[in-house]
Amino acid sequence: MKFIPALAVCLALVSLCGVANAQEIPDFRLPSKTFFDANTKFQKDRKVFAWYMVCCGPFGGNEQPKPKLIAQYKAEIQMAQSMGIDGFGLDIMQPNAVYHAAVDAMFDAAKELNTGFKLFLECDYGKPDAADYINLMKTYSKHPNYFQVKGRPLLCVYAADCILPKPADSVAWWRDQVVEPLKKQGVDAYFVPGTFHKFGNSPADAGGWQNLDADVAGWGDVADGHSAWQIQLSPIGGGIGALERFADASQKAKKTWMSTVSTHYWVGAYFSLPSWHWVLGEPLKADNSNRNGTYFEHAGGKGLDAQWSSIINVQHPEWVMLLTWNDYNESYMEPIDDYKKYKNGTLQSAHLGWYKPQAGIGELNRYYVQWYKTGSRPKITADSIFYAYVTQSYKLKASKDPRPGVGWGNPPANDSLYVTTALTAPAQLKVVSGATATSYDVAAGITHTVVPFEPGKQSFSLWRNGVQINSLEGEPVVDKIDFYDYYPTTGYVETPVGKK
């Protein structure tokens, strides 16, 4: 039996390709043997990427000497590949030497590993810098690990239609300042902007962006494809429907479509305590800039299934982007046990246990990654449990935080354990939450069970014909809090058929 509890995710310390000292970088790769049959007969051009924040990393951040950066990036690439991820979109937020050095180290790490991992640029500046984009593309677009589309280097952008007040002016800026100058200098970029649908001018509510044909038409021949940042709404609150409409609009225009998948989102988590934005005892700001953020429920494996089902059965994208790999203050998917064990350059005032492990959702996600890339639903070979939940009730008030509580972005609010079972045959799922025990008959295959939680111990077990197959215990749900922490905790257990 393979057992991965919430706070003990692959803690064996090993050397990574002979570069990282075993005591410097832990190995958080997911196990090579998983709960389904492996299939590497992937359909042509189907790729899964993850959004990578170059600003920070789990083992020291981006200001380390180059050898240490390369070791860190090798570790992260190996983690990503263990989850079925094909490459990173590198979020370039600042045109400075630190970012440039980090990007260079990432490309060196991918090249030295020589495992086919791909990289490409995701421009994300508050103040766009065309000269820096051009410089970076000229430097790396012919690198052996740069992702090419029909011989052209992929260039993506976050909020591409928001850099100027009028969306048409934003399109002209990208065309005249970046795409055409690059082409004149021998770099014919395959340009895929991520947009916020300014042409359609529709609110991002449950109805979603209605006039997405206008968005696609507004970009014309400047864009070779399209994508959207839908982490806030997907999978609850209209996000999946908006992605499906955008996929349809892109494909009708014969443009590449890059869809997205997200597993949690606490927008403004970096405003919550502990953080560098507000320290206990400081006066509150009148402009609300040190507020608590808004939490968007993603419903664990149930929400993950809904997103991938849409991608596989409705959207049919060429690529999928996971949002995000390591945006620690909003969303992340790295299977790290607790970031505060390692100097990582972000939220250093956060206490141990502030960040929650994501290995459970990451292990479940690679089932869907393989399904998408092969076109065939994987065969389940191990009876498994996956859980995801927030460890504090939305009704609680933090005793040491005088500000208003965390907002709920996609109501109705609820206190739930999201449990996914992957079974070779029908079984019984037993859940103990606090003082309440419940039992559920679950079918073979993938089943999602939502269980109300109460404070105390959280345990999960599978039974068949009166015999226990496996069990695991998650992090307790607390009944009082000093500060708000809405990162979901995840975990899993897998038992191959015939083993206990």
Side-chain angles (χ1 to χ4, degrees):
M1 181 174 71
K2 188 189 306 172
F3 175 50
I4 313 290
L7 294 178
V9 183
C10 305
L11 289 179
L13 301 181
V14 300
S15 171
L16 293 173
C17 290
V19 175
N21 184 286
Q23 298 181 357
E24 292 178 347
I25 299 181
D27 183 3
F28 286 107
R29 285 174 290 185
L30 295 178
S32 58
K33 185 69 175 177
T34 185
F35 67 99
F36 55 87
D37 273 341
N39 179 0
T40 58
K41 295 181 180 179
F42 302 143
Q43 294 190 17
K44 184 179 180 181
D45 297 332
R46 287 197 177 180
K47 301 291 183 183
V48 175
F49 303 112
W51 194 289
Y52 187 94
M53 303 298 291
V54 179
C55 58
C56 45
F59 308 120
N62 68 356
E63 295 186 353
Q64 301 176 87
K66 189 171 184 178
K68 290 188 175 181
L69 269 181
I70 290 175
Q72 169 181 300
Y73 293 153
K74 283 185 175 181
E76 292 192 82
I77 289 171
Q78 289 179 316
M79 277 188 269
Q81 289 189 302
S82 78
M83 296 169 68
I85 295 170
D86 299 295
F88 287 149
L90 303 180
D91 186 291
I92 311 299
M93 196 175 292
Q94 299 180 33
N96 61 35
V98 173
Y99 267 70
H100 288 186
V103 170
D104 197 61
M106 180 68 83
F107 275 95
D108 281 356
K111 184 177 180 180
E112 289 181 19
L113 278 176
N114 194 29
T115 54
F117 197 73
K118 297 301 181 181
L119 305 167
F120 57 91
L121 298 185
E122 289 272 6
C123 303
D124 180 13
Y125 293 166
K127 295 181 179 180
D129 190 321
D132 197 55
Y133 301 149
I134 291 171
N135 175 52
L136 289 169
M137 287 298 292
K138 288 174 62 178
T139 302
Y140 298 106
S141 62
K142 291 182 173 56
H143 190 281
N145 292 89
Y146 201 102
F147 183 60
Q148 306 286 327
V149 187
K150 301 176 183 177
R152 299 167 60 193
L154 178 62
L155 173 62
C156 295
V157 182
Y158 172 79
D161 53 348
C162 299
I163 64 168
L164 294 172
K166 295 181 179 180
D169 292 341
S170 293
V171 173
W173 189 92
W174 288 106
R175 180 193 63 218
D176 299 339
Q177 301 298 319
V178 178
V179 175
E180 289 300 325
L182 274 171
K183 190 178 297 185
K184 290 177 181 178
Q185 297 183 56
V187 180
D188 186 12
Y190 198 91
F191 187 58
V192 178
T195 59
F196 280 85
H197 321 299
K198 296 297 183 178
F199 283 100
N201 198 29
S202 300
D205 56 17
W209 297 288
Q210 297 293 344
N211 196 9
L212 290 166
D213 289 320
D215 288 300
V216 172
W219 282 90
D221 293 336
V222 177
D224 297 287
H226 292 275
S227 189
W229 185 269
Q230 265 291 63
I231 195 168
Q232 296 94 331
L233 298 179
S234 185
I236 297 172
I240 292 176
L243 287 173
E244 289 176 354
R245 290 192 294 276
F246 204 4
D248 181 65
S250 298
Q251 290 158 355
K252 284 190 301 185
K254 302 188 183 305
K255 302 291 185 178
T256 297
W257 171 240
M258 179 190 286
S259 191
T260 57
V261 167
S262 53
T263 59
H264 68 270
Y265 190 55
W266 184 9
V267 58
Y270 47 89
F271 292 116
S272 298
L273 194 71
S275 86
W276 59 71
H277 288 272
W278 183 70
V279 177
L280 187 64
E282 286 186 353
L284 302 184
K285 295 180 180 180
D287 64 2
N288 202 32
S289 63
N290 52 16
R291 67 192 185 281
N292 276 298
T294 301
Y295 172 71
F296 291 81
E297 180 60 71
H298 280 56
K302 181 180 180 181
L304 187 67
D305 187 290
Q307 293 174 82
W308 279 109
S309 293
S310 169
I311 285 168
I312 293 166
N313 298 318
V314 181
Q315 297 180 49
H316 308 294
E318 287 83 351
W319 313 316
V320 175
M321 176 68 78
L322 304 179
L323 304 175
T324 67
W325 179 254
N326 66 328
D327 189 353
Y328 307 132
N329 295 328
E330 295 183 26
S331 66
Y332 56 94
M333 191 177 281
E334 282 175 307
I336 305 292
D337 60 335
D338 191 312
Y339 294 92
K340 298 316 299 176
K341 289 183 178 180
Y342 320 102
K343 182 176 175 57
N344 55 54
T346 183
L347 246 66
Q348 290 301 319
S349 59
H351 56 77
L352 194 67
W354 171 260
Y355 293 111
K356 306 299 184 184
Q358 300 302 310
I361 204 76
E363 173 71 1
L364 180 60
N365 187 61
R366 64 175 174 169
Y367 171 88
Y368 295 98
V369 168
Q370 179 173 299
W371 185 4
Y372 161 71
K373 289 166 66 173
T374 62
S376 300
R377 182 186 282 269
K379 179 184 177 182
I380 295 170
T381 57
D383 294 310
S384 308
I385 306 171
F386 306 86
Y387 67 74
Y389 57 93
V390 173
T391 60
Q392 53 187 242
S393 170
Y394 76 94
K395 301 173 185 176
L396 291 179
K397 170 65 178 172
S399 62
K400 295 184 179 179
D401 191 339
R403 301 170 296 170
V406 173
W408 203 272
N410 45 6
N414 62 84
D415 292 337
S416 297
L417 307 171
Y418 294 95
V419 187
T420 297
T421 49
L423 300 180
T424 60
Q428 292 75 47
L429 168 67
K430 295 185 179 181
V431 179
V432 178
S433 181
T436 301
T438 51
S439 181
Y440 307 86
D441 292 327
V442 285
I446 300 290
T447 302
H448 309 289
T449 305
V450 182
V451 183
F453 72 56
E454 59 185 57
K457 177 181 176 181
Q458 313 296 313
S459 65
F460 314 87
S461 59
L462 282 175
W463 298 71
R464 185 176 291 128
N465 301 322
V467 178
Q468 181 172 305
I469 300 169
N470 54 31
S471 66
L472 79 166
E473 186 172 326
E475 192 172 343
V477 171
V478 297
D479 58 2
K480 56 184 177 181
I481 55 174
D482 292 334
F483 309 112
Y484 298 101
D485 186 351
Y486 276 70
Y487 293 117
T489 186
T490 79
Y492 71 100
V493 61
E494 299 171 347
T495 303
V497 175
K499 295 185 179 181
K500 295 182 182 179

